[in-house]
Amino acid sequence: MDNNDIQKFLYQVAQSFKTKSLITKKKLENGGYALFAVAPLVPDFCLTVTYFGGYKFLGTEIVSKDNKPVFGISYSGFFDEDLLRPDIDIATAFLQMALAHTNEKLPIRGPQSYTENKYNYFNQIEGGIDECKGTEWISVNKNGHAEKIYQMKY
């Protein structure tokens, strides 16, 4: 399997977070969510994302080609439990914008950093497309200091 094809696919899907044009979301019977994405420039690939939880969550991202898994990550994380639902929705929308600004050469999650208004996204990744692990987080600037409101390890 050519990792360049996986990278191209992941990058194209990440770009679609701006418009949500390639993504279909489905609520699962057990309370979780599944996202599905295909990218026309990289045929025969599919991304399946499963997500379970609320303030604390976990899930997987699996890339398959011709219905066979070729890349995947598992993740778990949390939102600050003091956040209200509207604040989580804003942070989630910001996260999707940050993910759309991912690095084309290593499109795993978002860029190393991204800032918009008072929100800051950071991604520390070790490894490459063959094997990686990392941590991403969002902080919000409040009263002159940054307060972490979201963190995820993958």
Side-chain angles (χ1 to χ4, degrees), residues 31-33 35 49-61 73-81 83 85 88-89 91-92 95 99 109 121 134-138 148-154:
Y33 289 93
L35 302 172
V49 178
T50 57
Y51 174 94
F52 300 92
Y55 284 101
K56 293 182 180 178
F57 59 87
L58 55 92
T60 61
E61 295 182 11
I73 61 172
S74 298
Y75 58 84
S76 64
F78 63 88
F79 284 94
D80 182 326
E81 291 184 358
L83 292 178
R85 183 76 231 171
I88 290 177
D89 292 342
T92 300
L95 174 61
L99 296 177
R109 302 300 298 168
Y121 168 89
T135 303
E136 69 179 17
W137 68 95
I138 295 173
K148 188 184 288 187
I149 60 168
Y150 160 87
Q151 179 175 300
M152 184 183 89
K153 292 185 182 285
Y154 57 91

Side-chain angles (χ1 to χ4, degrees), residues 61-98:
E61 295 182 11
I62 305 295
V63 174
S64 57
K65 181 175 193 255
D66 299 321
N67 295 319
K68 295 180 181 141
V70 294
F71 172 81
I73 61 172
S74 298
Y75 58 84
S76 64
F78 63 88
F79 284 94
D80 182 326
E81 291 184 358
D82 292 333
L83 292 178
L84 300 175
R85 183 76 231 171
D87 295 323
I88 290 177
D89 292 342
I90 291 169
T92 300
F94 170 74
L95 174 61
Q96 290 176 345
M97 286 307 298

Side-chain angles (χ1 to χ4, degrees), residues 14-46:
Q15 296 305 294
S16 77
F17 278 123
K18 296 174 186 170
T19 62
K20 296 184 177 59
S21 59
L22 303 177
I23 299 167
T24 303
K25 183 176 181 179
K26 179 182 176 186
K27 185 162 177 58
L28 303 174
E29 289 181 19
N30 59 5
Y33 289 93
L35 302 172
F36 305 95
V38 294
L41 297 180
V42 188
D44 304 321
F45 280 82
C46 178

